[in-house]
Amino acid sequence: MNQVFVDALVSIAGTDGILRDGDVQGRSAGMLRPDTLQANLLVRPKTTAQVAAILKLCNDTRQPVVTQGGLTGLVHGADAAPDELILSLERMNAIEEVDPLQRVAVVQAGVTLQALQDAVEKQDLSFPLDLGARGSATLGGNAATNAGGNRVIRYGMMRDMVLGVEAVLADGSVVSSLNRMIKNNAGYDLKQLFIGSEGTLGVITRLVLRLRERPRSQNVAFVAIDGFDRLTAFLKHMDGALGGSLSAFEAMWREFYQLVTTAPAKSSPPLPQGHAYYVLVESLGADQALDGARLEAALEAALQQGLIADAAIARSERERAAIWALRDDVMQTARHGMPFVFDVSLPIAAMEAYVAEVRAALATRWPQHHCWVFGHLGDGNLHLAIRPAEARGDTHAEVEAMVYTPLANIGGSISAEHGVGLEKKPYLHLSRNATEVALMRALKRSFDPNNILNPGKII
Amino acid sequence: MNQVFVDALVSIAGTDGILRDGDVQGRSAGMLRPDTLQANLLVRPKTTAQVAAILKLCNDTRQPVVTQGGLTGLVHGADAAPDELILSLERMNAIEEVDPLQRVAVVQAGVTLQALQDAVEKQDLSFPLDLGARGSATLGGNAATNAGGNRVIRYGMMRDMVLGVEAVLADGSVVSSLNRMIKNNAGYDLKQLFIGSEGTLGVITRLVLRLRERPRSQNVAFVAIDGFDRLTAFLKHMDGALGGSLSAFEAMWREFYQLVTTAPAKSSPPLPQGHAYYVLVESLGADQALDGARLEAALEAALQQGLIADAAIARSERERAAIWALRDDVMQTARHGMPFVFDVSLPIAAMEAYVAEVRAALATRWPQHHCWVFGHLGDGNLHLAIRPAEARGDTHAEVEAMVYTPLANIGGSISAEHGVGLEKKPYLHLSRNATEVALMRALKRSFDPNNILNPGKII
């Protein structure tokens, strides 16, 4: 990047708005990553007007731009090459407004998920998106990637919580569409274009987010199940029996449960190991005792119907946290070295055979592999953490093929909630047909004719 | 339309696939409308391939096309001029699949909402979109207009229930994006473009819809409230106290309640007339007795806190239906001649002053006017039925200006759930800024460069 360009950037964002060379390259490339940023230049605007001026400059000079939030993505969606400009929204981190009557928050894109969760809780409200990276992940990033997480079964994905966006287009024009209402059918719903498009169609700068009343009860149970048919029947049973309060249905395959409840993991097993499946069931409701009784009655009925083999109900905040902790102790899968982690979705009816097919392929190739399966069953979303016996670089593509290829025939998706980025781009054709990809390309060309926004990602 | 074009249409859709002249013009122009269709030609394909061939033909010959479903829209969004071809999806009316495990239905666009509701109920499932026109409105139309209705507060709008779409573009290419999973982040979410764009970006031919477990309990209460502050506080109270089961919060202003509970209306008043506001509260849950007790306890708490002045709880299916019947008896507003009906959304904090402003403007112009207000308060959505003393044609625009103009300053929307069509097009600028409209136009040009799809609607 030449000095004229850098001078222009400084005139927009100020000297302290620019980081160069070592100051950029000393920063981590992201959560769980050993490498550091490669770009030579990072700009961190403070206002939407600065973002607009930066994008206009980049568009005029054909300078590629990679927008970065909390760098918690898992698909290399925010990777920046040395010659790409990093646009970091770290200084646009104000919660501008929390309105308890309208039940909306207006935030800048760089606010972390946890900062918003904490702020609204003080007003007896809840922002129900939740995921492990909450402390670093930004709301702008959550929107750009349409984040999912643990409570999608009840509240939907980030897309369902965004009422309005302000975004800057590639040419620097600002689309301010900061709607605050649940219903607004005045023309095309433009915000949908920026949600989940991973920064390739525009840069989200501000958001209006839907809030909920804070749940007044949390009840958690843990169950063991001995067959996949029973697992899916149990999901339907609980969804019906809890009357709208079911907020998580987190399934674990046997090996995952054994891993996270065996030392050196810190969790002790709430139920004996060795069953085929385990599920964390949560209800968020209005009355601790009433909702607890309802959960218990539903579990008793499930036991009587033979759907579940065993159940433990958390009786205290400590016990609830302990059950969530074993579900969240995903880092145990790194015990033998970092595994390859996958995020797929598929029809529930195809899941059992799909997991068996992946396991069989792994076993043929690497008799000593590890394969831990867990996920948000109610959403059709599985995570697989796979560690071949020898995890050299070139095994990743082999494992990817084993995990992704079978999805094509069963209508599954190579990305449930992690996005595509660079990592899944070679496999996009397994989940999207040629017409869909052509339409994506047409949208990209229409919104970003010079291909400056996160170029090369997704498609 | 020349004979060559008609012959080509016949070769695609068959002789019985075409209606001409009187056979078209004998058909009603839609629900609550006195007029009939004006077009000379109507084609009713049976398959997506036929739709694709028809659109290709129209695109090649620059023939404008208006897609029609159940003709229950209220904004002239499906009106067709004499020289426009009507594309009716009435013969694509098969429910192709109901999958109780995955909890999805695959339907053709011409299936009516009620047909799907009835079909899934037989499998102990629910499709929770609901609105008065359910018997005629088609699911394709519901998607094209992003329909709302009575239970948005719990289940969202049609957009939130569509998992996948198949749509035909203006050039006849078929975008098959029939995803069945709740989570699918494999690239841009293309279906969003076709939902709510009123047939201007493509023709929806098939849909994958999300189903829910059938609610096992329904409890309904009716309350009277004496101040707007208390009305909004009561909404927050009930939303928190019902723990996820609140499924409707239908507010009525005093005049509407009096109208629908006074002869010749058939409903008798469950509570005395004369309070400022009334609300129908519904919970859908899992256990009739438990959920009823919870509703009653929440109402008692609201009484003790002074939020509500009076309450009646329905004790039987008959009483529940009676309360819903008075809310749904909107046709009483036609007692003095057809009123102008409006559908707007706005921030809750601005509602009281907004309604007062509209009333004041009406009173100044027509001392003898009627203005009935009711709506889905939890969604920020009000309906106003207005009947000036003399309702000559030219008064409509005057009343529209009174209703829509004040929305601009408070961030309201000229359309909450009815769409824009032709009727609201002159007012779109009050709710969308120039950049938003420019982006809509760019999308329209990109998807439909020859402007053949429902031309002139929305923008």
Side-chain angles (χ1 to χ4, degrees):
Chain A
M1 291 156 200
N2 64 41
Q3 194 57 43
V4 175
F5 180 85
V6 175
D7 289 346
L9 266 193
V10 170
S11 76
I12 293 166
T15 312
D16 65 337
I18 310 284
L19 298 183
R20 301 189 68 165
D21 304 326
D23 288 340
V24 183
Q25 291 143 10
R27 289 183 163 203
S28 164
M31 193 178 67
L32 301 181
R33 287 178 60 163
D35 55 333
T36 56
L37 296 179
Q38 295 175 38
N40 297 312
L41 198 58
L42 179 152
V43 60
R44 36 185 195 174
K46 281 187 161 171
T47 65
T48 301
Q50 289 182 0
V51 175
I54 291 164
L55 289 193
K56 183 172 188 320
L57 172 68
C58 291
N59 196 48
D60 290 345
T61 57
R62 307 296 190 262
Q63 170 60 49
V65 186
V66 177
T67 307
Q68 292 190 345
L71 292 178
T72 62
L74 296 170
V75 294
H76 297 266
D79 280 12
D83 61 344
E84 293 181 317
L85 173 68
I86 294 175
L87 173 65
S88 169
L89 295 174
E90 63 198 65
R91 299 204 299 180
M92 290 187 66
N93 62 355
I95 298 174
E96 298 183 348
E97 186 184 347
V98 174
D99 181 339
L101 179 59
Q102 188 68 8
R103 299 189 282 196
V104 298
V106 183
V107 300
Q108 295 178 348
V111 172
T112 66
L113 172 55
Q114 188 162 9
L116 181 67
Q117 287 175 335
D118 293 348
V120 305
E121 203 163 305
K122 287 180 194 146
Q123 302 208 37
D124 227 20
L125 294 163
S126 157
F127 181 65
L129 186 80
D130 198 35
L131 38 87
R134 64 184 74 79
S136 302
T138 64
L139 292 161
N142 293 153
T145 60
N146 189 27
N150 294 333
R151 293 190 170 106
V152 171
I153 193 172
R154 169 80 166 272
Y155 299 104
M157 299 183 77
M158 183 67 170
R159 188 182 297 280
D160 303 296
M161 304 176 198
V162 177
L163 296 176
V165 302
E166 176 188 78
V168 183
L169 301 183
D171 66 2
S173 55
V174 178
V175 183
S176 178
S177 198
L178 291 167
N179 164 66
R180 293 181 175 222
M181 282 89 65
I182 291 173
K183 286 178 170 170
N184 188 346
N185 273 349
Y188 305 163
D189 192 4
L190 299 172
K191 67 174 178 285
Q192 305 295 347
L193 289 158
F194 305 107
I195 300 170
S197 54
E198 303 184 33
T200 62
L201 298 181
V203 175
I204 295 171
T205 46
R206 289 161 78 209
L207 293 152
V208 183
L209 299 171
R210 179 179 180 181
L211 307 176
R212 308 281 182 150
E213 297 300 314
R214 191 176 60 76
R216 300 168 190 182
S217 74
Q218 181 196 30
N219 282 279
V220 174
F222 198 75
V223 306
I225 297 178
D226 281 326
F228 194 81
D229 286 356
R230 276 168 270 178
L231 176 59
T232 58
F234 179 63
L235 167 61
K236 282 176 66 75
H237 168 73
M238 293 307 284
D239 209 355
L242 293 184
S245 68
L246 180 67
S247 53
F249 192 95
E250 297 290 303
M252 296 159 227
W253 270 238
R254 179 202 318 250
E255 298 80 4
F256 180 87
Y257 181 64
Q258 183 163 330
L259 178 78
V260 298
T261 56
T262 303
K266 290 191 177 133
S267 295
S268 54
L271 295 175
Q273 298 175 346
H275 292 283
Y277 304 97
Y278 298 85
V279 183
L280 179 163
V281 177
E282 182 193 70
S283 92
L284 292 174
D287 182 297
Q288 192 64 29
L290 272 181
D291 293 318
R294 177 172 298 199
L295 179 63
E296 194 158 344
L299 292 174
E300 260 169 41
L303 264 171
Q304 281 170 12
Q305 292 168 39
L307 297 178
I308 61 178
D310 205 350
I313 298 180
R315 299 291 179 190
S316 65
E317 177 56 39
R318 196 185 55 75
E319 288 183 16
R320 284 190 290 278
I323 291 176
W324 267 111
L326 77 87
R327 160 64 183 81
D328 284 343
D329 195 11
V330 177
M331 284 309 293
Q332 293 303 323
T333 62
R335 201 185 285 174
H336 312 281
M338 278 302 285
F340 304 131
V341 177
F342 297 94
D343 161 57
V344 300
S345 60
L346 58 157
I348 290 177
M351 258 179 206
E352 189 179 15
Y354 168 76
V355 172
E357 183 175 350
V358 173
R359 283 195 198 284
L362 288 167
T364 303
R365 178 68 177 83
W366 297 287
Q368 298 305 311
H369 74 278
H370 292 284
C371 177
W372 299 284
V373 182
F374 57 101
H376 319 289
L377 193 85
D379 317 322
N381 180 189
L382 291 186
H383 296 302
L384 295 88
I386 294 173
R387 174 83 187 169
E390 339 96 80
R392 282 195 302 273
D394 59 352
T395 59
H396 194 187
E398 256 189 283
V399 178
E400 284 181 323
M402 292 174 189
V403 171
Y404 293 141
T405 309
L407 294 171
N409 288 331
I410 54 179
S413 174
I414 58 155
S415 180
E417 56 182 15
H418 289 180
V420 176
L422 285 176
E423 182 170 302
K424 301 193 179 190
K425 184 177 161 182
Y427 303 96
L428 186 63
H429 68 280
L430 294 173
S431 296
R432 299 296 189 193
N433 57 47
T435 321
E436 291 175 291
V437 174
L439 197 51
M440 291 181 205
R441 285 190 202 281
L443 279 169
K444 172 68 173 168
R445 275 193 304 273
S446 169
F447 274 72
D448 181 19
N450 297 319
N451 195 28
I452 64 157
L453 292 176
N454 214 6
K457 308 291 166 45
I458 304 182
I459 42 175
Chain B
M1 290 155 202
N2 62 42
Q3 194 58 42
V4 176
F5 180 85
V6 175
D7 290 345
L9 267 192
V10 170
S11 76
I12 293 166
T15 311
D16 64 337
I18 310 283
L19 298 183
R20 301 188 68 164
D21 304 325
D23 289 340
V24 183
Q25 291 143 9
R27 288 183 163 203
S28 164
M31 192 179 68
L32 301 182
R33 288 176 62 162
D35 55 332
T36 56
L37 296 179
Q38 295 174 36
N40 297 313
L41 197 58
L42 179 152
V43 61
R44 36 186 195 173
K46 280 188 162 172
T47 65
T48 301
Q50 289 182 0
V51 175
I54 292 164
L55 289 193
K56 183 171 188 323
L57 172 68
C58 291
N59 196 48
D60 290 345
T61 56
R62 308 294 190 264
Q63 169 60 49
V65 186
V66 176
T67 307
Q68 293 189 345
L71 292 179
T72 64
L74 296 170
V75 295
H76 297 267
D79 280 12
D83 61 344
E84 293 181 316
L85 173 68
I86 293 175
L87 174 64
S88 169
L89 295 173
E90 64 198 66
R91 298 202 300 180
M92 290 188 66
N93 61 355
I95 297 174
E96 297 183 348
E97 187 184 346
V98 175
D99 181 341
L101 180 58
Q102 187 68 8
R103 298 187 284 195
V104 298
V106 183
V107 300
Q108 296 178 348
V111 173
T112 65
L113 173 55
Q114 187 162 10
L116 180 66
Q117 287 174 336
D118 292 349
V120 304
E121 202 162 308
K122 286 180 195 146
Q123 303 208 35
D124 227 19
L125 294 163
S126 158
F127 181 65
L129 187 80
D130 198 36
L131 38 87
R134 65 184 74 80
S136 303
T138 64
L139 293 160
N142 293 153
T145 59
N146 188 27
N150 294 332
R151 293 189 172 107
V152 172
I153 194 171
R154 169 79 166 273
Y155 299 104
M157 299 183 76
M158 182 67 169
R159 188 181 298 279
D160 303 295
M161 305 177 196
V162 177
L163 296 176
V165 302
E166 175 188 79
V168 184
L169 302 182
D171 66 2
S173 55
V174 178
V175 182
S176 177
S177 198
L178 291 167
N179 165 67
R180 293 181 174 220
M181 283 88 65
I182 291 172
K183 286 177 169 170
N184 188 345
N185 273 349
Y188 307 163
D189 191 4
L190 299 172
K191 67 175 178 283
Q192 305 295 346
L193 289 158
F194 305 107
I195 300 170
S197 54
E198 304 183 32
T200 62
L201 298 181
V203 175
I204 295 171
T205 45
R206 288 162 78 209
L207 293 152
V208 183
L209 299 170
R210 180 178 181 182
L211 307 176
R212 309 281 182 150
E213 296 301 313
R214 193 176 59 76
R216 299 169 190 183
S217 73
Q218 181 196 31
N219 283 279
V220 174
F222 198 75
V223 306
I225 297 179
D226 281 327
F228 194 80
D229 286 356
R230 277 169 268 179
L231 176 60
T232 59
F234 179 63
L235 168 62
K236 281 176 67 75
H237 168 73
M238 293 306 284
D239 209 354
L242 293 185
S245 68
L246 179 66
S247 54
F249 192 95
E250 297 289 303
M252 296 159 227
W253 270 238
R254 180 202 317 251
E255 298 79 5
F256 180 87
Y257 181 65
Q258 182 163 332
L259 179 78
V260 297
T261 57
T262 302
K266 290 190 179 135
S267 294
S268 54
L271 295 175
Q273 298 176 345
H275 292 283
Y277 303 97
Y278 297 84
V279 184
L280 180 164
V281 177
E282 181 193 70
S283 93
L284 293 174
D287 182 295
Q288 192 65 28
L290 273 181
D291 293 318
R294 176 172 296 197
L295 178 64
E296 193 158 345
L299 292 174
E300 260 170 38
L303 264 171
Q304 281 170 12
Q305 292 167 40
L307 297 178
I308 60 178
D310 205 350
I313 298 179
R315 300 291 178 191
S316 65
E317 177 57 40
R318 195 185 55 75
E319 288 183 16
R320 285 190 289 278
I323 291 177
W324 267 112
L326 77 88
R327 159 63 183 82
D328 284 343
D329 195 10
V330 178
M331 283 311 291
Q332 293 303 323
T333 63
R335 200 184 286 173
H336 311 282
M338 278 303 283
F340 304 132
V341 177
F342 297 94
D343 161 57
V344 299
S345 61
L346 60 156
I348 289 176
M351 259 181 205
E352 189 179 15
Y354 168 76
V355 172
E357 184 176 348
V358 173
R359 282 196 200 284
L362 288 166
T364 303
R365 178 69 176 82
W366 297 287
Q368 297 304 312
H369 74 278
H370 290 284
C371 175
W372 299 283
V373 182
F374 57 102
H376 319 288
L377 192 85
D379 317 322
N381 181 188
L382 292 185
H383 295 303
L384 296 89
I386 295 173
R387 174 82 188 171
E390 338 96 79
R392 282 194 303 272
D394 59 353
T395 60
H396 194 187
E398 255 189 283
V399 178
E400 283 180 325
M402 291 174 190
V403 171
Y404 293 140
T405 309
L407 294 171
N409 287 332
I410 54 178
S413 174
I414 59 154
S415 178
E417 57 182 13
H418 289 179
V420 176
L422 286 177
E423 182 170 302
K424 301 193 181 190
K425 185 177 161 183
Y427 303 97
L428 186 62
H429 68 280
L430 295 172
S431 295
R432 299 295 189 196
N433 56 48
T435 322
E436 291 175 286
V437 174
L439 197 53
M440 291 181 203
R441 285 188 202 281
L443 279 168
K444 173 66 174 169
R445 274 193 305 271
S446 168
F447 274 70
D448 180 18
N450 297 319
N451 195 28
I452 64 158
L453 292 176
N454 213 6
K457 306 291 165 49
I458 304 183
I459 42 175

